[in-house]
Amino acid sequence: MRAPDVVWVTPERREEMDKAGDPPTLAPEICIEVMSENNDWDEMHSKRALYLKAGAEEVWVVTEEGAVRFFADEETEASEVLPGFPEHV
């Protein structure tokens, strides 16, 4: 079982997730992973695929430098779920 570092989920999705079982088989709308010295981009690619397959609309990866990279089916320049979210944190 994989769990993202941070998630963003609406109340409606949370209700759907609760109905999906424990642990839920439906991912939150946004799953966020934070890069560290203990993981690499191969691992992030694998996690992204799992979260998207489980229904996440986007996966964000925050690099060690604080850059935010946004992914849906492919990498995008910005979040489509939360437009205006900064590219750097």
Side-chain angles (χ1 to χ4, degrees):
M1 177 169 72
R2 294 276 185 191
D5 295 322
V6 180
V7 300
W8 182 82
V9 60
T10 61
E12 295 80 16
R13 175 62 71 97
R14 181 69 195 168
E15 188 175 309
E16 289 178 57
M17 290 171 63
D18 288 343
K19 292 176 185 174
D22 186 20
T25 55
L26 178 64
E29 287 98 335
I30 300 174
C31 296
I32 304 164
E33 285 289 339
V34 179
M35 293 287 288
S36 72
E37 60 188 35
N38 297 325
N39 50 34
D40 58 26
W41 283 102
D42 287 337
E43 181 180 357
M44 289 299 124
H45 175 72
S46 174
K47 288 181 176 184
R48 281 194 334 255
L50 288 171
Y51 300 148
L52 292 170
K53 184 177 180 182
E57 294 177 32
E58 292 182 344
V59 177
W60 300 359
V61 178
V62 181
T63 68
E64 291 182 78
E65 296 79 25
V68 183
R69 294 180 62 182
F70 306 95
F71 299 89
D73 291 333
E74 338 183 311
E75 187 167 4
T76 60
E77 291 188 24
S79 172
E80 293 182 14
V81 177
L82 292 176
F85 193 88
E87 297 175 13
H88 198 273
V89 291

